[in-house]
């Protein structure tokens, strides 16, 4: 119901939470009829998976998953995962059944991996990418939520990111999906059970990152355990030699290790909220329901310490400073989704995001109207209610956030400042009142970000709208993740999440490597993209200058050359989707 909550639009560099709280009460009285309709939006996703065709596909996928799980256990009896709720990946544990056989159908490439956690548990995951794309790409690691949340229920996000030019890793935390329930003696009880401990979502995220960064030259070695300080590297080595575990990230050659982000859901969101600030290798964070504390010793949902202690290495529990951009996303209803009986605090979802604004760090908190905790994982079961369009909105903003803060794509601002989710036609079609606005009218969605061209965009009520929101975000009018991830693995010139296999400028194709023909030897080349220095080449005699990946959209590339005699040359090129559109000109 548009306009139900009064607008609050504040502009400036920072927003004080105390000032916001003073205007927190909703402007209208609680409406039971409107609440019933809003709560009923959780039935929308069922329209996708309740058809006979989808159910037949889900049954086929479930049988295949069960057979594969049983065969894996039989071939690897050391493993201990079959007693877990989603170990066999059937029915509601299968995720979106339309996303299977991704490589076989020519949508992208994927490889199953096993590796050893710090406590000796064998962790299971997949690494995703596309054949098309630049030689080096940024990376994203996704951490699950707890209980019925195997990695496959997050494949919709992972595959969309892979199509957008990322190397992506999904994985099961210990005691979930197809990762081992327990570790190896003397640390078999470290992180067990996962839901009462927290370590699989915090330490596990760090272990997954360590594996993600591993290469053929620097294979993965698990950290020592937190409980006893024992190294379980011998187990990893033994299993690699036996052909069971992966020794390193199979797509390491594609990964640009200098640009990596992490995302997580629920307990995983708490984990990445801390690890993203704790680990210097991480550039940005997206937290699905919701941004957590940057102190791992703080309570998780007000009940217990988010993570158990690490007596063998107390530095692993040191609170982290807020320094890296983080986007929180949440929904009107949590778990279990229960209808409201009165108006909730409209700022209640934004507590952590306000801390980022206070620290002067880019942030946002976006709340899905009528959505639930299950909008963020794709569970094809009516017991897990979710909206029709929530997953698409999640995929859109996750890609845009990482494009801005991990990929460094200036065009991401348009996608973050888009007005499309306030006027979504598919949303209007399923709403009883034709309401096209996907932002909650109970809770205020916010964005507080610096812009690539200078200045800031600060909006404290995205539903009502703020100056600076744009109708033209440079993307097709219709956005659906399923159309993106099931497109053929081929290069396109699209920039941003609607593209498929986005090609950067570093793939050595014509127009992306600048040949040099100068009388004096060139010993240094400095590359600037949109005014930012991104690469410096040095050598005795540089003959070519590869332009680093810049994504799609309009890119202004400046190259400054220094000769052996100290003479400097400057060139400027403009690219659109990395195709040259303006002649090269040189200033002597």
């Amino acid at each position: 119901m548009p306009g139900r909550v009064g607008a609050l639009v504040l502009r400036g560099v920072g927003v004080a939470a105390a000032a916001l709280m003073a205007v927190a009460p909703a402007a209208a009285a609680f409406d039971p009829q409107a609440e019933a309709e809003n709560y009923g939006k959780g039935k929308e996703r069922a329209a996708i998976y309740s058809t006979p065709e989808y159910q037949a596909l889900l049954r086929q996928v479930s049988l295949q998953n069960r057979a594969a799980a049983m065969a894996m256990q039989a071939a690897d009896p050391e493993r201990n995962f079959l007693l877990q709720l989603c170990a066999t990946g059937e029915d509601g544990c299968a995720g979106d059944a339309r996303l299977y056989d991704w490589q076989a159908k020519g949508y992208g490439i994927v490889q199953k991996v096993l590796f050893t956690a710090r406590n000796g548990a064998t962790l299971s995951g997949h690494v995703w990418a596309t054949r098309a794309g630049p030689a080096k790409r940024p990376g994203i690691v996704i951490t699950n939520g707890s209980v019925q949340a195997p990695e496959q229920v997050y494949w919709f996000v992972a595959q969309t990111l892979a199509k957008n030019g990322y190397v992506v890793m999904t994985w099961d935390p210990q005691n979930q999906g197809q990762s081992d329930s327990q570790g190896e003696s003397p640390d078999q009880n470290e992180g067990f059970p996962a839901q009462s401990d927290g370590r699989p979502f915090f330490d596990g995220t760090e272990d997954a990152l360590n594996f993600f960064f591993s290469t053929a030259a620097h294979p993965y070695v698990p950290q020592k355990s937190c409980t006893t300080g024992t190294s379980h590297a011998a187990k990893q080595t033994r299993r690699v030699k036996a052909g069971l575990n992966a020794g390193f990230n199979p797509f390491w050659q594609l990964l640009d290790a200098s640009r990596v982000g992490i995302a997580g859901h629920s307990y995983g969101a708490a984990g990445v909220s801390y690890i993203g600030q704790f680990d210097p290798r991480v550039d940005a964070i997206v937290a699905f329901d919701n941004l957590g504390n940057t102190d791992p010793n703080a309570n998780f949902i007000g009940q217990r310490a988010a993570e158990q202690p690490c007596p063998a290495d107390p530095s692993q529990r040191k609170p982290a400073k807020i320094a890296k951009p983080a986007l929180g996303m949440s929904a009107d209803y949590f778990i279990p989704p229960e209808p409201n009986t009165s108006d909730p605090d409209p700022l209640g979802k934004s507590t952590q995001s306000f801390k980022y604004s206070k620290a002067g760090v880019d942030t946002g908190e976006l709340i899905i109207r009528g959505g639930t905790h299950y909008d963020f994982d794709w569970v094809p079961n009516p017991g897990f209610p979710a909206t029709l369009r929530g997953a698409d909105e999640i995929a859109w903003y996750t890609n845009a956030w990482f494009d801005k803060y991990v990929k460094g794509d200036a065009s991401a601002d348009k996608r973050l400042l888009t007005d499309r989710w306030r006027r979504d036609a598919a949303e209007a079609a399923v709403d009883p009142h034709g309401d096209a606005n996907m932002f909650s009218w109970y809770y205020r969605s916010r964005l507080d970000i610096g812009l690539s061209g200078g200045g800031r965009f600060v909006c404290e009520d995205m539903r009502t709208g703020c100056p600076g929101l744009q109708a033209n975000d440079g993307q097709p009018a219709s956005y659906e993740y399923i159309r993106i991830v099931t497109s053929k693995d081929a290069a396109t010139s699209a920039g941003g999440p609607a593209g498929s296999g986005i090609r950067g400028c570093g793939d050595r194709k014509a127009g992306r490597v600048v040949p040099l023909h100068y009388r004096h030897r060139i010993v240094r080349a400095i590359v600037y993209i949109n005014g930012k220095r991104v690469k410096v080449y040095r050598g005795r005699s540089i003959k070519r200058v590869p332009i680093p990946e810049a994504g799609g959209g309009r890119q202004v590339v400046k190259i400054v050359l220094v000769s052996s005699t100290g003479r400097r040359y400057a060139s400027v090129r403009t690219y659109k989707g990395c195709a040259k559109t303006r002649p090269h000109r040189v200033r002597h």
Side-chain angles (χ1 to χ4, degrees):
M1 297 186 65
R4 186 176 186 280
V5 178
L8 173 65
V9 181
L10 299 179
R11 301 175 182 84
V13 174
V15 179
L20 289 170
M21 293 301 291
V23 290
F30 180 74
D31 184 343
Q33 178 61 34
E35 165 57 24
E37 292 172 350
N38 195 60
Y39 183 74
K41 290 182 65 61
K43 300 176 182 178
E44 292 173 355
R45 184 183 286 175
I48 298 174
Y49 59 73
S50 63
T51 67
E53 295 79 12
Y54 191 101
Q55 286 297 307
L57 176 61
L58 181 58
R59 177 54 22 210
Q60 176 186 339
V61 166
S62 296
L63 292 173
Q64 291 172 348
N65 284 356
R66 179 173 181 79
M70 300 307 291
M72 182 168 58
Q73 179 67 85
D76 192 357
E78 181 181 27
R79 300 288 309 284
N80 59 87
F81 67 89
L82 277 181
L83 293 180
Q84 286 150 205
L85 179 63
C86 285
T88 56
E90 299 173 75
D91 303 317
C93 296
D96 190 345
R98 300 170 294 179
L99 306 185
Y100 282 78
D101 300 325
W102 203 56
Q103 183 163 303
K105 293 175 180 176
Y107 302 150
I109 54 177
V110 59
Q111 190 158 330
K112 171 92 173 178
V113 294
L114 299 175
F115 59 101
T116 305
R118 67 185 65 193
N119 69 342
T122 297
L123 303 183
S124 172
H126 288 80
V127 186
W128 309 81
T130 55
R131 288 186 174 87
K136 288 289 186 181
R137 312 173 198 183
I140 305 295
V141 173
I142 299 174
T143 298
N144 305 359
S146 61
V147 195
Q148 188 163 343
E151 57 159 311
Q152 50 264 41
V153 302
Y154 303 100
W155 284 358
F156 77 97
V157 177
Q159 292 180 4
T160 311
L161 284 162
K163 284 289 195 179
N164 189 18
Y166 291 89
V167 180
V168 185
M169 180 174 171
T170 55
W171 62 285
D172 286 325
Q174 177 194 338
N175 201 203
Q176 294 200 200
Q178 293 185 342
S179 288
D180 282 0
S181 298
Q182 292 180 282
E184 182 181 56
S185 179
D187 301 299
Q188 64 269 28
N189 292 323
E190 181 173 310
F192 179 82
Q195 290 74 39
S196 64
D197 189 307
R199 283 178 286 193
F201 304 95
F202 287 72
D203 292 345
T205 297
E206 188 73 357
D207 292 342
L209 278 166
N210 289 339
F211 177 81
F212 194 56
F213 282 107
S214 63
T215 68
H218 298 92
Y220 171 73
V221 178
Q223 292 183 211
K224 293 181 179 179
S225 71
C226 266
T227 303
T228 67
T230 300
S231 171
H232 295 276
K235 180 177 181 179
Q236 169 70 6
T237 301
R238 170 174 58 80
R239 288 181 57 82
V240 169
K241 288 182 178 179
L244 299 171
N245 281 15
F248 47 84
N249 180 351
F251 294 165
W252 68 270
Q253 289 176 302
L254 291 175
L255 178 65
D256 178 353
S258 68
R259 297 182 295 165
V260 170
I262 55 177
H265 177 217
S266 192
Y267 220 145
V272 302
S273 295
Y274 170 64
I275 294 298
Q277 302 297 344
F278 171 81
D279 191 322
R281 300 171 297 182
V282 176
D283 296 308
I285 303 157
V286 173
F288 303 143
D289 214 13
N290 197 352
L291 266 175
N293 205 301
T294 56
D295 181 356
N297 309 300
N299 284 352
F300 177 62
I301 316 182
Q303 297 176 356
R304 57 184 181 274
E307 186 176 25
Q308 293 299 309
C310 186
D313 185 1
S315 69
Q316 296 289 312
R317 301 296 182 267
K318 184 179 179 180
K321 179 183 177 181
I322 293 175
K324 301 169 192 174
L327 174 67
M329 297 189 74
S330 51
D332 274 342
Y333 306 100
F334 194 55
I335 46 174
E338 295 180 344
N340 291 311
T341 57
S342 62
D343 281 319
D345 177 359
L347 306 180
K349 303 279 186 177
S350 301
T351 301
Q352 295 299 328
S353 182
F354 286 136
K355 291 182 180 179
Y356 277 76
S357 289
K358 186 176 181 180
V361 178
D362 286 10
T363 186
E365 179 63 39
L366 306 175
I367 299 100
I368 301 168
R369 179 170 66 95
T372 81
H373 194 64
Y374 306 121
D375 272 61
F376 302 95
D377 52 9
W378 221 97
V379 182
N381 184 308
F384 296 78
T387 64
L388 178 70
R389 292 286 280 157
D392 296 304
E393 185 180 11
I394 291 160
W396 174 280
Y397 280 108
T398 299
N399 277 269
W401 192 263
F402 285 139
D403 280 0
K404 179 175 176 66
Y405 296 106
V406 175
K407 193 181 284 186
D409 182 357
S411 73
D413 280 351
K414 281 188 175 182
R415 284 172 272 131
L416 288 171
L417 272 58
T418 183
D419 199 43
R420 70 165 57 222
W421 300 106
R422 298 178 63 246
R423 48 180 181 81
D424 183 69
E427 175 75 0
V430 297
D431 185 84
H433 302 284
D435 187 356
N437 196 322
M438 289 195 61
F439 293 111
S440 170
W441 39 256
Y442 278 127
Y443 298 97
R444 294 189 184 127
S445 298
R446 68 187 305 262
L447 273 180
D448 181 0
I449 60 175
L451 301 177
S452 60
R456 295 193 69 80
F457 174 79
V458 181
C459 182
E460 295 298 341
D461 193 343
M462 293 284 284
R463 178 175 178 82
T464 301
C466 299
L469 288 176
Q470 304 172 16
N472 180 14
D473 54 35
Q475 300 300 307
S478 176
Y479 179 87
E480 296 178 65
Y481 77 83
I482 192 64
R483 294 170 59 188
I484 296 168
V485 302
T486 57
S487 62
K488 290 298 181 181
D489 184 359
T492 74
S493 61
S500 168
I502 292 172
R503 191 179 300 282
C505 300
D507 55 2
R508 295 183 177 272
K509 290 188 179 293
R512 297 171 179 85
V513 177
V514 179
L516 304 182
H517 304 286
Y518 290 87
R519 187 157 55 101
H520 298 290
R521 288 184 294 109
I522 301 300
V523 296
R524 188 154 58 108
I526 309 157
V527 181
Y528 298 83
I529 298 180
N530 297 326
K532 180 180 179 181
R533 189 171 75 173
V534 296
K535 189 72 175 180
V536 178
Y537 297 96
R538 293 181 175 87
R540 175 175 169 75
S541 181
I542 299 173
K543 300 296 185 184
R544 307 189 309 167
V545 178
I547 301 173
E549 182 221 342
R554 184 182 177 89
Q555 311 290 346
V556 179
V557 179
K558 178 180 179 181
I559 302 174
V560 176
L561 307 175
V562 181
S563 75
S564 58
T565 63
R567 189 168 184 177
R568 298 173 72 89
Y569 309 89
S571 67
V572 177
R573 295 168 180 243
T574 299
Y575 294 85
K576 185 175 182 180
C578 297
K580 188 171 66 172
T581 59
R582 192 169 66 195
H584 179 70
R585 62 179 195 268
V586 178
R587 297 193 302 273
H588 295 275

